[in-house]
Amino acid sequence: MRIVIGGGSHCQMPTFQKRFPYSIGILFYALFMAIGYSQDVKVETISDSILPINLGEVIVISSFNKALEHKAQNKPLSTLDEYLESSSVVNMIKRGAYAWEPVLNDMSSERLSVTIDGMRVFGACTDKMDPVTSYVDVSNLSEAHVTSGQQGAEQGSTIGGAIDLKLEKSNFKPKGWYGSVEAGGESSNAARIFGGELNYSNSEFYLDTDIIYRKADNYTAGGGGEIEYSQFEKYNVSANAGFRVSDDRKLTATFIFDEARDVGYPALPMDVSLAQAYIVSVGWFQDTLFGSFTDWETKLYANKVTHVMDDSKRPDVPIRMDMPGWSDTYGYFSQVNLRQGAHRLLLKLDGYYNRSLAEMTMYPNDPDESPMFMLTWPDIRTLNSAIYAEDVIDFKGSSLKLSTRLAVQNSNVADEFGLSSLRIFYPDMSRHKTRFLKSVALQYNTDMGAYQFNGGISYGDRAPSVSEAFGFYLFNSFDNHDYIGNPNLENEKALEANAKISFKDEKLTIDLEGNYFYMSDYIIGEVDPTLSAMTIGADGVKIYKNLDHAHLYNISCNAEYDILPELKWTGVLSYHRGVDGDGRNLPFISPLAYGSSIRYVDGKFSGSISMRGAGKQVDYNPDFGEDQTNAYTVFSLSLGRTFSINSNELYLKLGVENVFDEYYSTYTDWKNIPRMGRNFFMTVSYSIN
Ligand SMILES: [Cu+2]
């Protein structure tokens, strides 16, 4: 067992509101009663709210058949993006209704490590339209482990932290056959969701299979405006199998196929006709290894991502473009535990090889002009090999965790044409580059009766991403500039301090936490006035630079109070700030944000009312394409009920999001694209045990 020093798995609840329309409640309740059967609903939990900063959090994802967690969710067939967003630690940058980009501690993709069951996957889009999280679905997952800052270094080199999406597995439980079917619908975008799961598990063998299909039309913003190009369609199939070779040896395998088609990105000038991923792995587990080593786990994996952008549905584009991208990754990890006296050691070796390639072909309107071809990611091969070690030392009532990751990362510009294109800007650039990445962290945790303290300091660095180092005229519609990578960038470094004080008694839990990142060689695009844009209508060209330094601060307070055994209140408030060495505001930093919820659960029935919102954005920066985002508050409600039918279970959940149909956008909404207006949703699931 591993301890999450810092926060641990602390779950909160969903979001809620203030004026509860009784008529709706009574209506829902009558509906449930009419259907008949009563039964026990347990659990609550999960994620509410708003913004970042826990040192570690587990977001439970209610996929199929996990009857209990199900009921806990505000909206059981939410997209994974909505699950992540509902947690108090993760924000999501939105470019449309699909494939949002996770933000942790005010940092996104290139500053985070996002993994699927420990596997590295890299998106194939130069415009971040396909974050790793878009290639799985709630049907695959049991939970998301979110770790802040260098506490996430176990999964890979990172600055902001790590999100590891844990696949759901039967794990040799003696359950025989079991399964479920689910269906859901939403009113704002006429979303239709169908899923099913069929599993077999005994102590020698298990096989889990699931499928989910989602189709949504354009959604409607608050006040009734239709958001064009916000439709999407996706399906995901996966299978997990395990075979017990001997008492303490197990062989496992995973297969995931995910495909999205006709995905609109209303905030971007292009859509996606295809986003597809194959993800496979085989694993080997041994309870013991030689000596006192235990829990030896090794996994080999491969994944292939294809991404095709498409502007054929947009009228009046100045020039038609084809922009496909590919990202293939092969990797492994092998880890083992060792327990000796007060020490709990974890040793891990891991590595991956990634190939990223993206092209752009422009077709001028004049048929006599020939098309223009560019490599926007010039076939970059990255080889990363690392060792990670941690030691948790237990004292009386407290513990100290020391951890480190050391990595060697090699990059190679494999394409000749791409290399010579980059050499226009960097004549002395060499094809190969080697970087050394380091992370060290010290985290202390102590229990003092009702109080708990957790604090630490750490240092870590990261290599520039493929776009930051080698991107070639990547258009960013947010600040309307073309971006050119810079292979000479220094590694970005972060010195981090964090602290958390928790109070807990029978009824009340309060967490107050904060962190600070002193970042040196902060990577960001800066205007180069000597260059002219390739994209028609762009304002200029930016080149990635290292800023001397930048500061990021995050503070949050979470509270939870049990008014009655069945009735629980939660609240969260957070503040974030990010400036560079010259005092300029950094982009995508949250304004003051808050949330609160009341949730009722008895044996038969659950209901919730939630509220979340943010203050007016004060610290924004037009240089990075930002404008001021207004304050907003939105309210949601949900009601759920379980019915027993023989030994099976029928579960029904209904709810309304954005009850008052508020028109709003948040600081993470690309080009202020408004969020969904009032949205009714319903989920029905039937599980066969
Ligand atoms: Cu794309």
Side-chain angles (χ1 to χ4, degrees):
M1 205 198 83
R2 183 103 34 77
I3 289 195
V4 184
I5 274 205
S9 50
H10 114 223
C11 299
Q12 305 144 274
M13 339 204 342
T15 358
F16 310 82
Q17 92 16 70
K18 86 177 158 217
R19 286 185 292 143
F20 182 91
Y22 276 94
S23 54
I24 296 182
I26 290 163
L27 189 82
F28 283 179
Y29 192 73
L31 198 97
F32 294 156
M33 295 314 289
I35 295 175
Y37 318 97
S38 65
Q39 227 338 38
D40 52 316
V41 172
K42 292 174 197 141
V43 178
E44 268 335 273
T45 54
I46 299 319
S47 38
D48 161 22
S49 58
I50 318 304
L51 303 206
I53 312 126
N54 288 6
L55 302 172
E57 169 148 339
V58 175
I59 300 166
V60 179
I61 291 160
S62 93
S63 62
F64 305 155
N65 224 305
K66 300 201 352 209
L68 294 180
E69 273 121 37
H70 241 133
K71 296 152 196 166
Q73 303 299 338
N74 233 0
K75 191 163 92 180
L77 283 178
S78 298
T79 60
L80 174 61
D81 292 340
E82 289 172 288
Y83 271 99
L84 293 172
E85 187 174 51
S86 71
S87 105
S88 63
V89 294
V90 181
N91 274 335
M92 305 298 284
I93 294 177
K94 296 178 78 170
R95 298 168 175 89
Y98 185 74
W100 305 344
E101 183 187 2
V103 178
L104 184 61
N105 288 320
D106 302 320
M107 296 180 244
S108 62
S109 305
E110 52 286 296
R111 295 188 171 94
L112 303 181
S113 154
V114 182
T115 47
I116 298 170
D117 243 12
M119 299 182 275
R120 300 302 305 246
V121 181
F122 297 91
C125 179
T126 51
D127 297 344
K128 295 178 160 190
M129 290 156 122
D130 70 334
V132 177
T133 42
S134 68
Y135 291 116
V136 280
D137 206 314
V138 297
S139 53
N140 307 127
L141 302 174
S142 62
E143 54 197 27
H145 282 238
V146 181
T147 33
S148 177
Q150 294 306 318
Q151 296 303 302
E154 181 189 334
Q155 303 298 344
S157 294
T158 178
I159 300 278
I163 300 174
D164 187 34
L165 303 162
K166 295 285 184 199
L167 297 176
E168 188 187 11
K169 293 168 195 151
S170 290
N171 261 332
F172 304 102
K173 284 183 211 114
K175 294 183 77 167
W177 288 98
Y178 67 105
S180 68
V181 287
E182 311 212 346
E186 300 189 30
S187 64
S188 176
N189 55 357
R192 291 137 274 172
I193 308 148
F194 302 98
E197 165 175 305
L198 184 62
N199 310 305
Y200 179 80
S201 177
N202 65 26
S203 59
E204 301 298 312
F205 172 78
Y206 69 81
L207 175 65
D208 300 330
T209 60
D210 59 68
I211 183 163
I212 192 165
Y213 170 79
R214 298 174 184 273
K215 185 163 172 60
D217 301 338
N218 289 339
Y219 71 86
T220 307
E226 179 179 332
I227 304 301
E228 279 202 300
Y229 313 112
S230 63
Q231 82 289 345
F232 66 88
E233 179 175 19
K234 119 154 196 162
Y235 70 99
N236 180 297
V237 211
S238 83
N240 279 305
F243 176 67
R244 192 181 291 279
V245 179
S246 69
D247 259 5
D248 78 334
R249 289 160 191 216
K250 294 167 243 172
L251 181 67
T252 63
T254 294
F255 169 82
I256 301 173
F257 173 71
D258 187 286
E259 185 174 286
R261 284 185 179 272
D262 187 25
V263 183
Y265 288 81
L268 301 179
M270 291 191 95
D271 302 312
V272 164
S273 58
L274 174 71
Q276 184 190 66
Y278 291 89
I279 299 168
V280 295
S281 75
V282 287
W284 180 258
F285 294 80
Q286 239 173 261
D287 296 342
T288 56
L289 192 62
F290 53 84
S292 332
F293 289 104
T294 61
D295 306 303
W296 181 42
E297 176 183 0
T298 299
K299 187 182 277 187
L300 300 174
Y301 62 87
N303 54 73
K304 181 173 182 52
V305 178
T306 306
H307 179 85
V308 181
M309 284 188 262
D310 171 36
D311 59 7
S312 63
K313 297 204 170 151
R314 302 294 180 107
D316 315 323
V317 289
I319 193 162
R320 293 280 162 196
M321 288 187 276
D322 256 353
M323 296 181 67
W326 299 271
S327 166
D328 301 339
T329 308
Y330 307 89
Y332 80 97
F333 64 84
S334 184
Q335 64 182 48
V336 68
N337 293 347
L338 177 65
R339 191 158 219 193
Q340 210 119 66
H343 295 263
R344 281 173 290 146
L345 253 98
L346 167 72
L347 299 171
K348 182 180 181 188
L349 281 176
D350 59 58
Y352 65 82
Y353 175 76
N354 171 264
R355 173 176 187 228
S356 290
L357 175 68
E359 320 172 336
M360 173 158 85
T361 311
M362 295 196 267
Y363 299 96
N365 293 326
D366 179 352
D368 293 339
E369 277 181 60
S370 52
M372 191 163 127
F373 176 82
M374 285 193 291
L375 280 173
T376 43
W377 279 350
D379 198 355
I380 303 302
R381 315 283 176 97
T382 305
L383 178 66
N384 182 300
S385 306
I387 178 165
Y388 172 83
E390 71 174 40
D391 184 11
V392 179
I393 309 158
D394 292 316
F395 305 100
K396 243 197 171 137
S398 48
S399 63
L400 183 67
K401 178 180 162 190
L402 304 164
S403 58
T404 184
R405 164 176 285 270
L406 299 169
V408 186
Q409 181 163 318
N410 242 285
S411 57
N412 172 15
V413 185
D415 190 280
E416 210 53 58
F417 170 69
L419 182 63
S420 46
S421 303
L422 281 167
R423 279 186 174 150
I424 297 169
F425 301 101
Y426 308 100
D428 305 327
M429 157 182 186
S430 73
R431 181 185 287 273
H432 297 272
K433 179 139 187 149
T434 302
R435 295 172 184 270
F436 294 93
L437 306 173
K438 309 149 288 284
S439 161
V440 282
L442 186 151
Q443 195 77 19
Y444 177 71
N445 182 55
T446 184
D447 267 318
M448 299 164 289
Y451 292 90
Q452 198 182 50
F453 171 80
N454 202 311
I457 51 169
S458 63
Y459 172 85
D461 62 0
R462 69 161 180 113
S465 67
V466 170
S467 289
E468 287 168 339
F470 308 107
F472 195 71
Y473 286 101
L474 301 177
F475 177 63
N476 179 334
S477 61
F478 194 76
D479 59 11
N480 204 35
H481 279 75
D482 282 336
Y483 275 66
I484 292 172
N486 177 355
N488 302 323
L489 287 172
E490 298 292 328
N491 292 343
E492 182 178 274
K493 306 151 188 90
L495 197 59
E496 172 204 337
N498 62 66
K500 173 175 177 174
I501 297 168
S502 306
F503 169 83
K504 189 172 171 59
D505 72 8
E506 276 174 18
K507 294 190 151 196
L508 177 69
T509 308
I510 298 179
D511 297 328
L512 180 65
E513 59 188 301
N515 61 31
Y516 166 64
F517 293 83
Y518 177 86
M519 319 242 313
S520 43
D521 290 321
Y522 187 86
I523 298 172
I524 201 162
E526 294 272 29
V527 175
D528 185 329
T530 65
L531 299 174
S532 51
M534 176 88 65
T535 303
I536 297 167
D539 291 336
V541 175
K542 288 190 178 182
I543 294 208
Y544 283 104
K545 295 250 163 71
N546 289 113
L547 296 184
D548 182 66
H549 67 279
H551 310 269
L552 291 174
Y553 311 82
N554 304 287
I555 302 166
S556 76
C557 181
N558 286 275
E560 206 172 287
Y561 184 69
D562 295 336
I563 304 165
L564 296 167
E566 304 84 16
L567 191 66
K568 184 182 274 189
W569 169 84
T570 63
V572 60
L573 183 68
S574 72
Y575 175 75
H576 305 254
R577 187 90 174 91
V579 291
D580 73 3
D582 300 324
R584 290 188 306 168
N585 294 319
L586 296 176
F588 286 112
I589 308 290
S590 175
L592 189 73
Y594 53 86
S596 181
S597 71
I598 293 173
R599 171 174 283 257
Y600 176 84
V601 184
D602 71 10
K604 302 168 179 162
F605 175 79
S606 68
S608 69
I609 302 176
S610 66
M611 170 272 276
R612 66 188 167 78
K616 192 184 237 192
Q617 192 179 18
V618 181
D619 303 306
Y620 59 99
N621 193 334
D623 290 349
F624 300 117
E626 287 192 306
D627 55 10
Q628 189 161 48
T629 304
N630 282 322
Y632 68 89
T633 308
V634 290
F635 299 94
S636 304
L637 352 150
S638 73
L639 287 163
R641 172 111 201 220
T642 306
F643 308 97
S644 279
I645 300 173
N646 302 322
S647 65
N648 302 328
E649 262 188 2
L650 178 74
Y651 181 66
L652 185 61
K653 188 133 201 173
L654 300 168
V656 200
E657 295 168 313
N658 194 355
V659 174
F660 301 110
D661 203 30
E662 170 123 342
Y663 179 95
Y664 73 109
S665 66
T666 77
Y667 80 101
T668 51
D669 294 313
W670 202 258
K671 301 189 85 177
N672 303 323
I673 140 176
R675 298 229 163 182
M676 209 178 254
R678 187 184 300 119
N679 181 36
F680 292 89
F681 64 86
M682 184 174 85
T683 303
V684 185
S685 69
Y686 187 75
S687 59
I688 302 146
N689 297 300

